[in-house]
Amino acid sequence: MEATEEEPLYVLTALLLTPAQFPSVLGDDYPAACGRLGLEPYAEGYGLILAQDGDGARWTVATEDVTDVACAVAAWDCGMEYDLSPREEVVTAVLPGWPLDVAVAAPGMPAPHDPEEAEEALAPPDTGTWGAPQRRLGADEIALRWAEWREEVEGSVEFAAEGDGPGGRLGEVLGEARDYLETPPPPGRVRSAFASGEARTLRADGPGWSMVARTDDIAFVLLDEEPGEVLPVGRGTALPELLAGLDGLALRPAL
C-alpha cells in the first residue's frame, strides 16, 4: 500500500476499530479508543493497518473502508492471502508508531523503529507497570484463554461474593455494571462475543475496572488498584441476571 505516492508502506497486520470490536488497550470504550488516536468516533468505525516504510519505520494507517480490513483479517486468519491496499481517498490518518505489539515481521525489512521525524509516536503500554491499559490487556488474556483460567480457579480459590474484595470494591464494580442496565454506557463499554455452545463471552469495562464473564458461568474482575490480581466472582443468585442484562445491551461484532 502507499501512504503517499513517494512513500510505500508494507502491511504487517490489521485490526478493526468499531464500536463492537476495538483494541481494548486503547480505552475502556469506543469513543475513548478513537480519542487515543485522534479520530472521530464515527458509528461505522475504522480499519487500522500496522505497517512499515522502506526504512523500517512504524506507521498506523486508519481507513474508513472497514469491510476491506475485515475481509483481510478473516482471510489471514484462514491462512489465505489478501492484498490489503486501501485507496488514498479512504485513508483518514497516518500516525507514527504502533499502539500495540506486532508479532509478525516483514522479511528483508529493517528492524521496526519509530519514524525519526515524529515528535511523539504511538507505542504499546509498558508491561512492567500496572494501570488501565495493562488491566484491559489482562482482561483480553482471560477472555482469550477462558478455559485455562476457569480450570485454574476451580476448586483452588474461593469465589468472591458480591461486596467482597479489596475494601468492598468488588461490590462497587458489580453495582456499576448493574447501573449500565439503567443508564446505557458509551458504545463499546459492554461487548459480547461468541463462546462455546449457546453461551456468550461478555466484556465490560468501567473507571478502574474490567470484567470478563461467560453468560453460562462465572466472572473475573480486574482492578487498577490491585496490580495483577484476578478476582473470580461466583455465579450465585445475582450474577446470572446481571450477565443476561449486560448481554442484552452489549454490542456484537458484525462478523
Side-chain angles (χ1 to χ4, degrees):
M1 63 169 289
E2 295 185 358
T4 68
E5 293 183 359
E6 296 80 17
E7 186 66 41
L9 293 181
Y10 302 89
V11 176
L12 273 70
T13 190
L15 55 157
L16 296 178
L17 174 62
T18 68
Q21 188 174 354
F22 58 89
S24 58
V25 68
L26 296 176
D28 286 330
D29 51 52
Y30 174 66
C34 288
R36 175 71 178 83
L37 302 178
L39 302 172
E40 291 293 326
Y42 296 128
E44 295 78 9
Y46 303 88
L48 298 181
I49 300 170
L50 307 188
Q52 290 179 269
D53 63 24
D55 295 326
R58 294 180 280 245
W59 296 94
T60 297
V61 179
T63 170
E64 295 176 357
D65 196 341
V66 178
T67 300
D68 190 29
V69 172
C71 289
V73 172
W76 296 336
D77 286 345
C78 295
M80 301 169 59
E81 293 187 0
Y82 191 98
D83 181 17
L84 180 57
S85 184
R87 307 180 310 279
E88 184 177 350
E89 59 266 26
V90 299
V91 172
T92 303
V94 181
L95 307 170
W98 294 334
L100 66 167
D101 288 321
V102 175
V104 297
M109 290 287 293
H113 61 272
D114 290 338
E116 294 180 1
E117 65 272 24
E119 294 183 2
E120 184 176 357
L122 299 171
D126 181 5
T127 56
T129 62
W130 183 261
Q134 293 81 6
R135 175 249 301 166
R136 292 189 294 263
L137 285 175
D140 288 345
E141 180 69 13
I142 292 173
L144 181 64
R145 306 184 186 279
W146 176 269
E148 297 175 22
W149 279 93
R150 187 65 176 89
E151 183 178 358
E152 183 173 328
V153 302
E154 185 66 39
S156 62
V157 176
E158 287 188 16
F159 292 127
E162 186 171 339
D164 289 346
R169 175 65 172 134
L170 184 57
E172 291 164 6
V173 165
L174 297 177
E176 290 177 30
R178 191 173 294 108
D179 289 342
Y180 288 168
L181 306 182
E182 301 296 330
T183 305
R189 280 281 178 97
V190 184
R191 289 167 280 159
S192 177
F194 289 109
S196 59
E198 298 182 359
R200 304 285 299 182
T201 297
L202 285 180
R203 174 64 179 276
D205 295 275
W209 59 269
S210 293
M211 181 172 71
V212 185
R214 273 184 52 135
T215 53
D216 64 347
D217 203 355
I218 66 170
F220 293 97
V221 171
L222 294 87
L223 304 172
D224 282 359
E225 62 199 50
E226 291 294 320
E229 292 295 321
V230 178
L231 305 175
V233 181
R235 192 159 175 82
T237 58
L239 189 64
E241 181 180 357
L242 173 60
L243 298 182
L246 291 174
D247 188 49
L249 63 84
L251 296 176
R252 303 185 179 208
L255 299 178

Short mmCIF file of all heavy atoms in Angstrom, two decimals, residues 109-153:
data_model
loop_
_atom_site.label_atom_id
_atom_site.label_comp_id
_atom_site.label_asym_id
_atom_site.label_seq_id
_atom_site.Cartn_x
_atom_site.Cartn_y
_atom_site.Cartn_z
N MET A 109 13.14 -6.67 5.83
CA MET A 109 12.92 -5.29 6.25
C MET A 109 13.83 -4.93 7.41
O MET A 109 14.17 -5.79 8.23
CB MET A 109 11.46 -5.09 6.66
CG MET A 109 10.48 -5.16 5.51
SD MET A 109 10.56 -3.68 4.49
CE MET A 109 9.94 -2.46 5.63
N PRO A 110 14.22 -3.66 7.52
CA PRO A 110 14.97 -3.22 8.71
C PRO A 110 14.14 -3.42 9.97
O PRO A 110 12.91 -3.52 9.91
CB PRO A 110 15.23 -1.73 8.44
CG PRO A 110 15.08 -1.57 6.97
CD PRO A 110 14.06 -2.58 6.54
N ALA A 111 14.81 -3.46 11.11
CA ALA A 111 14.10 -3.64 12.38
C ALA A 111 13.12 -2.49 12.58
O ALA A 111 13.42 -1.33 12.27
CB ALA A 111 15.10 -3.69 13.53
N PRO A 112 11.91 -2.79 13.11
CA PRO A 112 10.91 -1.73 13.32
C PRO A 112 11.42 -0.67 14.29
O PRO A 112 12.04 -0.98 15.30
CB PRO A 112 9.72 -2.50 13.92
CG PRO A 112 9.92 -3.92 13.52
CD PRO A 112 11.40 -4.12 13.48
N HIS A 113 11.12 0.57 13.97
CA HIS A 113 11.51 1.68 14.85
C HIS A 113 10.57 2.85 14.59
O HIS A 113 9.89 2.91 13.56
CB HIS A 113 12.95 2.10 14.60
CG HIS A 113 13.21 2.58 13.19
ND1 HIS A 113 13.56 1.72 12.17
CD2 HIS A 113 13.14 3.81 12.62
CE1 HIS A 113 13.70 2.40 11.04
NE2 HIS A 113 13.45 3.68 11.29
N ASP A 114 10.52 3.77 15.52
CA ASP A 114 9.68 4.95 15.34
C ASP A 114 10.29 5.86 14.27
O ASP A 114 11.52 5.95 14.15
CB ASP A 114 9.55 5.73 16.65
CG ASP A 114 8.70 4.99 17.67
OD1 ASP A 114 7.90 4.13 17.26
OD2 ASP A 114 8.85 5.28 18.88
N PRO A 115 9.45 6.54 13.50
CA PRO A 115 9.98 7.47 12.50
C PRO A 115 10.82 8.56 13.16
O PRO A 115 10.46 9.10 14.20
CB PRO A 115 8.70 8.07 11.88
CG PRO A 115 7.62 7.07 12.17
CD PRO A 115 7.98 6.46 13.48
N GLU A 116 11.94 8.85 12.56
CA GLU A 116 12.86 9.83 13.15
C GLU A 116 12.23 11.22 13.24
O GLU A 116 12.53 11.99 14.15
CB GLU A 116 14.15 9.90 12.32
CG GLU A 116 14.97 8.60 12.36
CD GLU A 116 16.23 8.71 11.55
OE1 GLU A 116 16.47 9.81 10.98
OE2 GLU A 116 16.99 7.72 11.48
N GLU A 117 11.34 11.54 12.29
CA GLU A 117 10.77 12.88 12.27
C GLU A 117 9.59 13.04 13.23
O GLU A 117 9.09 14.17 13.41
CB GLU A 117 10.30 13.23 10.85
CG GLU A 117 9.16 12.37 10.33
CD GLU A 117 9.62 11.09 9.64
OE1 GLU A 117 10.73 10.64 9.94
OE2 GLU A 117 8.86 10.58 8.81
N ALA A 118 9.16 11.95 13.86
CA ALA A 118 7.99 12.02 14.74
C ALA A 118 8.37 12.51 16.13
O ALA A 118 9.25 11.94 16.78
CB ALA A 118 7.34 10.64 14.84
N GLU A 119 7.71 13.57 16.59
CA GLU A 119 7.96 14.07 17.93
C GLU A 119 7.37 13.13 18.98
O GLU A 119 7.94 12.96 20.06
CB GLU A 119 7.37 15.47 18.09
CG GLU A 119 8.03 16.52 17.22
CD GLU A 119 7.47 17.90 17.46
OE1 GLU A 119 6.59 18.04 18.35
OE2 GLU A 119 7.90 18.85 16.79
N GLU A 120 6.24 12.56 18.67
CA GLU A 120 5.59 11.62 19.58
C GLU A 120 4.95 10.52 18.76
O GLU A 120 4.21 10.79 17.81
CB GLU A 120 4.53 12.32 20.43
CG GLU A 120 3.88 11.42 21.46
CD GLU A 120 2.91 12.17 22.36
OE1 GLU A 120 2.80 13.39 22.20
OE2 GLU A 120 2.26 11.52 23.20
N ALA A 121 5.24 9.27 19.08
CA ALA A 121 4.73 8.14 18.32
C ALA A 121 3.90 7.23 19.21
O ALA A 121 4.11 7.14 20.42
CB ALA A 121 5.89 7.35 17.70
N LEU A 122 2.94 6.55 18.60
CA LEU A 122 2.17 5.55 19.32
C LEU A 122 3.10 4.43 19.77
O LEU A 122 4.06 4.09 19.08
CB LEU A 122 1.08 4.97 18.41
CG LEU A 122 0.02 5.94 17.89
CD1 LEU A 122 -0.86 5.25 16.83
CD2 LEU A 122 -0.84 6.45 19.03
N ALA A 123 2.80 3.86 20.93
CA ALA A 123 3.64 2.78 21.45
C ALA A 123 2.81 1.86 22.33
O ALA A 123 1.85 2.30 22.97
CB ALA A 123 4.81 3.35 22.26
N PRO A 124 3.13 0.57 22.36
CA PRO A 124 2.43 -0.35 23.26
C PRO A 124 2.68 0.04 24.70
O PRO A 124 3.69 0.66 25.03
CB PRO A 124 3.07 -1.72 22.95
CG PRO A 124 3.75 -1.54 21.62
CD PRO A 124 4.15 -0.11 21.56
N PRO A 125 1.76 -0.30 25.60
CA PRO A 125 1.97 0.03 27.01
C PRO A 125 3.10 -0.79 27.61
O PRO A 125 3.39 -1.90 27.15
CB PRO A 125 0.62 -0.34 27.66
CG PRO A 125 0.03 -1.36 26.75
CD PRO A 125 0.46 -0.97 25.37
N ASP A 126 3.72 -0.25 28.61
CA ASP A 126 4.81 -0.91 29.32
C ASP A 126 4.24 -2.04 30.17
O ASP A 126 3.47 -1.79 31.11
CB ASP A 126 5.55 0.11 30.20
CG ASP A 126 6.71 -0.51 30.95
OD1 ASP A 126 7.01 -1.70 30.74
OD2 ASP A 126 7.31 0.21 31.77
N THR A 127 4.59 -3.27 29.85
CA THR A 127 4.07 -4.41 30.61
C THR A 127 4.74 -4.56 31.96
O THR A 127 4.33 -5.40 32.77
CB THR A 127 4.23 -5.71 29.81
OG1 THR A 127 5.62 -5.89 29.45
CG2 THR A 127 3.40 -5.67 28.53
N GLY A 128 5.76 -3.75 32.23
CA GLY A 128 6.43 -3.81 33.53
C GLY A 128 5.74 -2.98 34.59
O GLY A 128 6.15 -3.00 35.75
N THR A 129 4.71 -2.24 34.20
CA THR A 129 3.93 -1.46 35.17
C THR A 129 2.48 -1.91 35.13
O THR A 129 2.11 -2.77 34.33
CB THR A 129 4.02 0.04 34.84
OG1 THR A 129 3.44 0.27 33.53
CG2 THR A 129 5.46 0.51 34.83
N TRP A 130 1.66 -1.34 36.00
CA TRP A 130 0.24 -1.70 36.04
C TRP A 130 -0.61 -0.44 36.02
O TRP A 130 -0.34 0.52 36.74
CB TRP A 130 -0.07 -2.50 37.30
CG TRP A 130 -1.51 -2.97 37.36
CD1 TRP A 130 -2.54 -2.39 38.05
CD2 TRP A 130 -2.07 -4.11 36.71
NE1 TRP A 130 -3.71 -3.09 37.85
CE2 TRP A 130 -3.45 -4.15 37.03
CE3 TRP A 130 -1.56 -5.09 35.87
CZ2 TRP A 130 -4.31 -5.15 36.56
CZ3 TRP A 130 -2.40 -6.09 35.39
CH2 TRP A 130 -3.76 -6.11 35.74
N GLY A 131 -1.58 -0.45 35.17
CA GLY A 131 -2.51 0.67 35.06
C GLY A 131 -3.67 0.26 34.19
O GLY A 131 -3.88 -0.94 33.93
N ALA A 132 -4.44 1.21 33.71
CA ALA A 132 -5.63 0.89 32.92
C ALA A 132 -5.32 0.08 31.66
O ALA A 132 -6.00 -0.91 31.38
CB ALA A 132 -6.38 2.17 32.57
N PRO A 133 -4.30 0.45 30.86
CA PRO A 133 -4.02 -0.37 29.66
C PRO A 133 -3.64 -1.81 30.01
O PRO A 133 -4.10 -2.75 29.36
CB PRO A 133 -2.86 0.37 28.99
CG PRO A 133 -2.97 1.77 29.48
CD PRO A 133 -3.44 1.65 30.90
N GLN A 134 -2.81 -1.97 31.05
CA GLN A 134 -2.40 -3.32 31.44
C GLN A 134 -3.59 -4.10 32.00
O GLN A 134 -3.70 -5.31 31.78
CB GLN A 134 -1.27 -3.25 32.46
CG GLN A 134 0.04 -2.70 31.92
CD GLN A 134 0.08 -1.18 31.86
OE1 GLN A 134 -0.84 -0.51 32.32
NE2 GLN A 134 1.15 -0.63 31.31
N ARG A 135 -4.46 -3.42 32.73
CA ARG A 135 -5.66 -4.09 33.25
C ARG A 135 -6.54 -4.60 32.10
O ARG A 135 -7.03 -5.73 32.13
CB ARG A 135 -6.43 -3.11 34.13
CG ARG A 135 -7.76 -3.62 34.66
CD ARG A 135 -8.92 -2.88 34.02
NE ARG A 135 -8.84 -1.46 34.27
CZ ARG A 135 -9.58 -0.56 33.61
NH1 ARG A 135 -10.42 -0.95 32.66
NH2 ARG A 135 -9.46 0.74 33.86
N ARG A 136 -6.70 -3.77 31.07
CA ARG A 136 -7.52 -4.20 29.94
C ARG A 136 -6.85 -5.32 29.15
O ARG A 136 -7.52 -6.25 28.67
CB ARG A 136 -7.80 -2.99 29.04
CG ARG A 136 -8.72 -1.96 29.69
CD ARG A 136 -9.17 -0.90 28.70
NE ARG A 136 -8.08 -0.07 28.24
CZ ARG A 136 -7.77 1.12 28.75
NH1 ARG A 136 -8.48 1.62 29.77
NH2 ARG A 136 -6.78 1.84 28.26
N LEU A 137 -5.52 -5.26 29.02
CA LEU A 137 -4.81 -6.36 28.36
C LEU A 137 -4.96 -7.66 29.14
O LEU A 137 -5.09 -8.74 28.55
CB LEU A 137 -3.33 -6.00 28.21
CG LEU A 137 -2.97 -4.98 27.14
CD1 LEU A 137 -1.48 -4.64 27.21
CD2 LEU A 137 -3.31 -5.50 25.75
N GLY A 138 -4.94 -7.56 30.47
CA GLY A 138 -5.16 -8.74 31.29
C GLY A 138 -6.53 -9.35 31.06
O GLY A 138 -6.69 -10.57 30.98
N ALA A 139 -7.54 -8.49 30.94
CA ALA A 139 -8.89 -8.99 30.66
C ALA A 139 -8.97 -9.64 29.29
O ALA A 139 -9.65 -10.65 29.10
CB ALA A 139 -9.89 -7.84 30.77
N ASP A 140 -8.25 -9.07 28.31
CA ASP A 140 -8.19 -9.69 26.99
C ASP A 140 -7.63 -11.10 27.08
O ASP A 140 -8.12 -12.03 26.44
CB ASP A 140 -7.28 -8.87 26.06
CG ASP A 140 -7.91 -7.55 25.63
OD1 ASP A 140 -9.13 -7.38 25.81
OD2 ASP A 140 -7.17 -6.70 25.10
N GLU A 141 -6.58 -11.26 27.88
CA GLU A 141 -5.93 -12.56 28.01
C GLU A 141 -6.88 -13.58 28.64
O GLU A 141 -6.93 -14.75 28.22
CB GLU A 141 -4.66 -12.42 28.86
CG GLU A 141 -3.89 -13.70 29.07
CD GLU A 141 -3.24 -14.23 27.82
OE1 GLU A 141 -3.17 -13.48 26.82
OE2 GLU A 141 -2.80 -15.40 27.82
N ILE A 142 -7.64 -13.16 29.62
CA ILE A 142 -8.60 -14.08 30.26
C ILE A 142 -9.68 -14.49 29.27
O ILE A 142 -10.05 -15.67 29.19
CB ILE A 142 -9.22 -13.42 31.50
CG1 ILE A 142 -8.15 -13.24 32.58
CG2 ILE A 142 -10.37 -14.26 32.04
CD1 ILE A 142 -8.62 -12.44 33.77
N ALA A 143 -10.18 -13.53 28.50
CA ALA A 143 -11.20 -13.85 27.50
C ALA A 143 -10.66 -14.82 26.46
O ALA A 143 -11.37 -15.73 26.01
CB ALA A 143 -11.71 -12.57 26.84
N LEU A 144 -9.40 -14.63 26.07
CA LEU A 144 -8.79 -15.49 25.05
C LEU A 144 -8.55 -16.90 25.57
O LEU A 144 -8.70 -17.87 24.84
CB LEU A 144 -7.48 -14.86 24.58
CG LEU A 144 -6.71 -15.60 23.50
CD1 LEU A 144 -7.50 -15.64 22.20
CD2 LEU A 144 -5.34 -14.94 23.27
N ARG A 145 -8.19 -17.01 26.85
CA ARG A 145 -7.84 -18.31 27.43
C ARG A 145 -8.78 -18.65 28.59
O ARG A 145 -8.35 -19.02 29.67
CB ARG A 145 -6.38 -18.30 27.90
CG ARG A 145 -5.40 -17.88 26.82
CD ARG A 145 -3.96 -17.96 27.27
NE ARG A 145 -3.05 -17.44 26.29
CZ ARG A 145 -2.61 -18.13 25.23
NH1 ARG A 145 -3.03 -19.37 25.05
NH2 ARG A 145 -1.78 -17.58 24.36
N TRP A 146 -10.06 -18.51 28.32
CA TRP A 146 -11.06 -18.70 29.36
C TRP A 146 -10.95 -20.07 30.02
O TRP A 146 -10.98 -20.19 31.25
CB TRP A 146 -12.46 -18.51 28.78
CG TRP A 146 -13.53 -18.80 29.79
CD1 TRP A 146 -14.16 -19.99 30.02
CD2 TRP A 146 -14.07 -17.87 30.74
NE1 TRP A 146 -15.06 -19.86 31.04
CE2 TRP A 146 -15.02 -18.59 31.50
CE3 TRP A 146 -13.85 -16.52 31.01
CZ2 TRP A 146 -15.76 -17.97 32.52
CZ3 TRP A 146 -14.57 -15.91 32.02
CH2 TRP A 146 -15.51 -16.63 32.76
N ALA A 147 -10.85 -21.13 29.22
CA ALA A 147 -10.84 -22.49 29.78
C ALA A 147 -9.69 -22.68 30.75
O ALA A 147 -9.85 -23.31 31.81
CB ALA A 147 -10.77 -23.51 28.65
N GLU A 148 -8.53 -22.13 30.44
CA GLU A 148 -7.37 -22.28 31.31
C GLU A 148 -7.58 -21.53 32.63
O GLU A 148 -7.28 -22.06 33.70
CB GLU A 148 -6.12 -21.77 30.61
CG GLU A 148 -5.76 -22.54 29.35
CD GLU A 148 -4.58 -21.94 28.63
OE1 GLU A 148 -3.79 -21.22 29.28
OE2 GLU A 148 -4.44 -22.18 27.41
N TRP A 149 -8.09 -20.31 32.55
CA TRP A 149 -8.33 -19.56 33.78
C TRP A 149 -9.43 -20.20 34.61
O TRP A 149 -9.33 -20.26 35.84
CB TRP A 149 -8.70 -18.12 33.44
CG TRP A 149 -7.50 -17.28 33.15
CD1 TRP A 149 -6.94 -17.04 31.93
CD2 TRP A 149 -6.69 -16.61 34.11
NE1 TRP A 149 -5.83 -16.25 32.08
CE2 TRP A 149 -5.66 -15.96 33.39
CE3 TRP A 149 -6.74 -16.47 35.49
CZ2 TRP A 149 -4.68 -15.19 34.03
CZ3 TRP A 149 -5.76 -15.72 36.13
CH2 TRP A 149 -4.75 -15.09 35.40
N ARG A 150 -10.44 -20.71 33.94
CA ARG A 150 -11.55 -21.35 34.67
C ARG A 150 -11.08 -22.59 35.41
O ARG A 150 -11.45 -22.83 36.56
CB ARG A 150 -12.68 -21.69 33.67
CG ARG A 150 -13.95 -22.21 34.34
CD ARG A 150 -14.56 -21.11 35.21
NE ARG A 150 -15.81 -21.51 35.80
CZ ARG A 150 -15.94 -22.13 36.97
NH1 ARG A 150 -14.84 -22.44 37.65
NH2 ARG A 150 -17.12 -22.44 37.45
N GLU A 151 -10.23 -23.35 34.75
CA GLU A 151 -9.71 -24.56 35.38
C GLU A 151 -8.80 -24.23 36.55
O GLU A 151 -8.78 -24.94 37.56
CB GLU A 151 -8.95 -25.39 34.34
CG GLU A 151 -8.42 -26.71 34.87
CD GLU A 151 -7.72 -27.51 33.80
OE1 GLU A 151 -7.67 -27.05 32.64
OE2 GLU A 151 -7.21 -28.60 34.13
N GLU A 152 -8.06 -23.14 36.43
CA GLU A 152 -7.12 -22.76 37.48
C GLU A 152 -7.83 -22.41 38.78
O GLU A 152 -7.33 -22.71 39.86
CB GLU A 152 -6.28 -21.58 37.00
CG GLU A 152 -5.22 -21.15 38.00
CD GLU A 152 -4.30 -20.10 37.44
OE1 GLU A 152 -4.05 -20.11 36.23
OE2 GLU A 152 -3.82 -19.26 38.22
N VAL A 153 -8.98 -21.74 38.69
CA VAL A 153 -9.67 -21.34 39.91
C VAL A 153 -10.60 -22.42 40.45
O VAL A 153 -10.98 -22.39 41.61
CB VAL A 153 -10.48 -20.04 39.70
CG1 VAL A 153 -9.59 -18.92 39.24
CG2 VAL A 153 -11.63 -20.24 38.73
#
